[in-house]
């Protein structure tokens, strides 16, 4: 049977692997809609992950038992959790704002151009049709 502390450490390492995978997808993404969605996913992963790390049986217990000389460094890392989540929240909000403002305006302009082109093509088709029918009718 696996020792609970070893199982817990293994679980945390697995979470770190999943987080690295998510961060890799974020780093490889240039499309804003997908990026905001990935940042939402990251937040959903980080919140419970940070809570587990900060719990009484979390990282402090694992590090303290194995290497108490690293506890000060761990405290700084734990304090950074709030800053990282706040930064992530800000980026998600900015991304959503861009999507609704700048990107939304761009999409509206593209759709308007598409409609103008459809109208233009319809008028050309009607003109060509009238010209052909008029030519046939007058001959």
């Amino acid at each position: 049977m696996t020792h609970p502390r070893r199982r817990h450490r293994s679980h945390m390492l697995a979470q770190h692997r999943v987080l690295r995978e998510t961060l890799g997808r974020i780093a490889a993404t240039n499309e804003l809609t997908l990026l905001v969605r990935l940042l939402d996913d990251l937040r959903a992963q980080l919140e419970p992950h940070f809570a587990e790390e900060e719990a009484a049986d979390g990282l402090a217990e694992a590090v303290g038992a194995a290497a108490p000389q690293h506890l000060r460094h761990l405290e700084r890392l734990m304090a950074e959790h709030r800053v990282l989540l706040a930064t992530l929240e800000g980026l998600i909000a900015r991304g959503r704002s861009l999507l609704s403002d700048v990107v939304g305006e761009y999409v509206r302009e593209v759709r308007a151009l598409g409609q103008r082109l459809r109208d233009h093509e319809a008028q050309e088709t009607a003109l060509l049709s009238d010209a052909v029918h008029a030519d046939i009718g007058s001959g």
Side-chain angles (χ1 to χ4, degrees):
M1 183 173 197
T2 307
H3 189 275
R5 186 176 291 152
R6 190 172 296 133
R7 194 171 49 246
H8 188 65
R9 190 172 340 133
S10 178
H11 172 71
M12 279 192 255
L13 291 173
Q15 284 182 336
H16 284 184
R17 187 187 77 255
V18 170
L19 286 168
R20 280 192 307 274
E21 290 168 2
T22 301
L23 290 169
R25 285 192 305 276
I26 289 169
T29 301
N30 291 321
E31 199 275 308
L32 185 58
T33 303
L34 179 57
L35 191 56
V36 170
R37 195 173 323 126
L38 288 170
L39 290 175
D40 274 329
D41 291 347
L42 179 62
R43 178 185 48 201
Q45 292 170 4
L46 282 177
E47 288 173 338
H49 174 72
F50 284 166
E52 283 184 39
E53 286 183 341
E54 295 169 4
D57 63 343
L59 276 180
E61 181 191 45
V63 171
Q69 70 273 17
H70 295 300
L71 283 175
R72 265 211 167 90
H73 185 208
L74 178 63
E75 287 173 8
R76 286 191 299 274
L77 291 172
M78 294 295 156
E80 193 175 17
H81 286 174
R82 298 297 133 231
V83 174
L84 291 168
L85 285 174
T87 302
L88 179 58
E89 288 292 334
L91 288 170
I92 291 170
R94 277 183 46 210
R96 286 186 178 144
S97 176
L98 287 170
L99 285 171
S100 65
D101 294 345
V102 176
V103 175
E105 179 60 27
Y106 177 78
V107 168
R108 285 188 291 279
E109 289 177 26
V110 168
R111 287 181 180 154
L113 175 61
Q115 186 59 52
R116 285 179 58 199
L117 284 167
R118 282 189 297 278
D119 293 346
H120 177 88
E121 292 301 313
Q123 289 176 33
E124 285 180 349
T125 300
L127 182 62
L128 183 59
S129 180
D130 283 349
V132 168
H133 290 300
D135 186 38
I136 293 174
S138 66

